[in-house]
Amino acid sequence: MSSATTLRFPKDFFWGAATAAHQIEGNNVSSDWWRREQSSNSGLKERSADACDSYNRYEQDIRLLAESGLQYYRFSIEWARIEPEPEHFSTAQILHYRDMIETCRHYGVEPMVTLNHMTLPYWFAEQGGWKSADAVSLFNRYVRQIAPILYDVTYVCTINEPNMVAMTRGGKEGTNMTAGALPVPDLEIGQTLVEAHKGVCRILHEIYPSMLIGWTVATQAFHAMPGCEQETEEYAWPRENFYLDAAKGDDWIGVQGYLRTFIGKDGPQPIPDGAERTLCGWEYFPPAIGIGVRNAWDRAGHIPVIVTENGLATSDDSRRIDYTFGALQGLKAAMDDGIDVRGYIHWSLLDNYEWGSYTPTFGLVSINPDTFERHAKPSLHWLGEIAKSGIVEEPVR
Ligand code: FCB
């Protein structure tokens, strides 16, 4: 008879959930994504519209997270709201995000703040976005404006998934955020993103020497088909490893992982027949995050690792729990092998706008689209209890 597995995480290991501004706030009207959603040939199934109305309801979101037992809330500041027109910085919007930080503090939640999560001010995208000559200085200028509200924030993420940004050319292509579905990444954008990131690290460290700053990279657990190790190396470098290498010297590296991708002689291979699929169409593959963490640790020079995103798009919440348990098993095994992982942040707190569609539900909390009422799912309670004890019991049904 096989006995159920129990995982024990260190006492100081932290647990949380993540969101991103454009995906939950609603009416992010000055952003490039909003404009794209309005166009008749956007290629998108749905528009973000009011999203989860979290611009107004963030207090409820943070309260739900806190009440579950989770300790960290990773959310993003929306550049398009802070600077809706070039050099017009909105004090009211800056104070809005200050209020989010204070609301976290009020509920005993640690805020982890992302400075850029995919979306850009429309005016910036129009002038070329990350390809424009002054991209680095414009991003750094925006960060200088918001720096004063970050004085009590410990963890700051500069740019979310720079590798996906380079593959989607700043959001202009594709909504299926997998390497296999996207064009070859633009390493010129990649280099600009590295400079923008390092610039922000310098600016913020000068003001706040003890702030812990990093960026969060999408990892896709590239698997070599037999005899295709070299091809896999070459495929992975511009899509993942370049960005992990660039994190050397940072305070931490954020790892995000959901799926795996097989690489053959001619590139990414289709998902094997019969494999279980998520609502994104991705393969159900819980070990992804453990693999991503191991690779990040080696490439980024053994700096502390934080899982900043991991989760499952499903309408079956018990499957979300199964997936997360499997993911935590892989993570714990990596930690047992000596990798310094500080925390686990689940994607996502809310069922949100998944870059073109509301169908892939990743949330620990569901949203009634007519009333914006929030309903905690069993998985929120499950993860919250884990946060309180550090103990993960294998789900038994
Ligand atoms: C990541 C993004 C996040 C969300 C998840 C599912 O690539 O950072 O916004 O879309 O995937």
Side-chain angles (χ1 to χ4, degrees):
M1 203 179 81
S2 66
S3 59
T5 307
T6 301
L7 311 170
R8 287 170 205 281
F9 283 78
K11 278 265 162 298
D12 54 357
F13 189 86
F14 58 76
W15 302 85
T19 59
H22 187 75
Q23 295 178 266
I24 61 162
E25 287 181 342
N27 301 295
N28 186 17
V29 297
S30 303
S31 70
D32 59 342
W33 258 84
W34 179 271
R35 287 293 177 97
R36 177 182 171 184
E37 290 163 23
Q38 312 318 310
S39 119
S40 55
N41 57 0
S42 70
L44 305 171
K45 210 174 115 202
E46 287 169 286
R47 299 173 181 189
S48 58
D50 285 322
C52 308
D53 191 30
S54 288
Y55 184 81
N56 297 307
R57 291 167 202 261
Y58 59 89
E59 197 259 353
Q60 286 179 49
D61 301 341
I62 295 166
R63 181 160 29 95
L64 269 171
L65 182 145
E67 282 170 0
S68 76
L70 292 177
Q71 303 131 349
Y72 273 61
Y73 184 36
R74 175 178 176 233
F75 64 90
S76 72
I77 295 181
E78 183 57 57
W79 182 5
R81 290 191 194 275
I82 304 291
E83 192 180 2
E85 297 294 337
E87 261 185 295
H88 168 82
F89 294 97
S90 163
T91 304
Q93 299 294 348
I94 294 172
L95 291 177
H96 168 87
Y97 291 103
R98 179 62 213 164
D99 204 57
M100 285 188 74
I101 294 167
E102 276 171 25
T103 304
C104 286
R105 293 268 168 250
H106 174 78
Y107 285 104
V109 167
E110 191 63 35
M112 177 186 274
V113 179
T114 303
L115 306 179
N116 179 247
H117 195 121
M118 309 285 195
T119 43
L120 300 173
Y122 180 66
W123 62 263
F124 177 60
E126 275 300 281
Q127 67 172 64
W130 293 113
K131 272 180 111 64
S132 72
D134 47 2
V136 173
S137 65
L138 292 173
F139 185 61
N140 290 356
R141 184 178 74 181
Y142 147 68
V143 173
R144 277 197 195 89
Q145 293 292 322
I146 53 173
I149 65 163
L150 302 174
Y151 58 86
D152 56 351
V153 175
T154 303
Y155 283 105
V156 166
C157 160
T158 58
I159 298 169
N160 181 69
E161 296 194 345
N163 50 337
M164 285 295 141
V165 173
M167 277 187 255
T168 57
R169 276 118 169 101
K172 303 256 172 328
E173 303 193 44
T175 51
N176 181 0
M177 302 279 196
T178 61
L182 294 168
V184 179
D186 185 331
L187 270 193
E188 201 187 305
I189 295 185
Q191 197 49 49
T192 302
L193 292 166
V194 171
E195 281 165 35
H197 164 67
K198 297 290 178 187
V200 167
C201 292
R202 275 192 302 275
I203 291 167
L204 290 179
H205 272 150
E206 237 166 66
I207 315 174
Y208 309 116
S210 60
M211 184 180 267
L212 300 175
I213 311 170
W215 71 0
T216 55
V217 176
T219 64
Q220 303 204 353
F222 295 116
H223 278 50
M225 298 293 280
C228 299
E229 286 70 22
Q230 179 64 26
E231 286 82 355
T232 304
E233 231 354 83
E234 282 164 17
Y235 190 83
W237 191 77
R239 292 172 175 82
E240 182 169 323
N241 291 337
F242 170 82
Y243 300 87
L244 296 173
D245 292 355
K248 282 199 181 98
D250 288 353
D251 299 321
W252 54 278
I253 174 75
V255 177
Q256 329 212 126
Y258 297 90
L259 51 90
R260 72 173 156 187
T261 306
F262 283 99
I263 306 299
K265 288 273 171 231
D266 51 354
Q269 302 298 299
I271 294 172
D273 281 347
E276 180 178 344
R277 303 259 198 148
T278 78
L279 288 176
C280 289
W282 303 344
E283 184 188 4
Y284 177 96
F285 187 65
I289 198 68
I291 296 168
V293 160
R294 286 173 191 273
N295 188 42
W297 173 252
D298 289 341
R299 305 269 343 180
H302 295 186
I303 58 174
V305 174
I306 302 171
V307 173
T308 39
E309 284 186 26
N310 170 249
L312 183 73
T314 180
S315 53
D316 175 355
D317 196 51
S318 65
R319 212 63 192 124
R320 185 178 339 277
I321 292 175
D322 295 341
Y323 179 90
T324 308
F325 177 77
L328 293 174
Q329 257 182 318
L331 184 64
K332 185 64 177 38
M335 293 167 71
D336 290 344
D337 286 343
I339 299 182
D340 178 8
V341 187
R342 302 287 169 92
Y344 173 87
I345 312 255
H346 193 82
W347 182 270
S348 177
L349 178 64
L350 308 174
D351 284 346
N352 61 29
Y353 183 64
E354 251 316 308
W355 308 113
S357 169
Y358 281 99
T359 306
T361 40
F362 277 95
L364 300 167
V365 172
S366 66
I367 310 283
N368 178 326
D370 301 320
T371 62
F372 303 109
E373 261 176 281
R374 276 89 169 118
H375 293 284
K377 300 180 191 176
S379 53
L380 178 69
H381 179 68
W382 179 80
L383 199 60
E385 289 303 309
I386 291 171
K388 290 180 200 164
S389 65
I391 297 171
V392 192
E393 305 280 2
E394 183 171 2
V396 194
R397 297 193 181 88

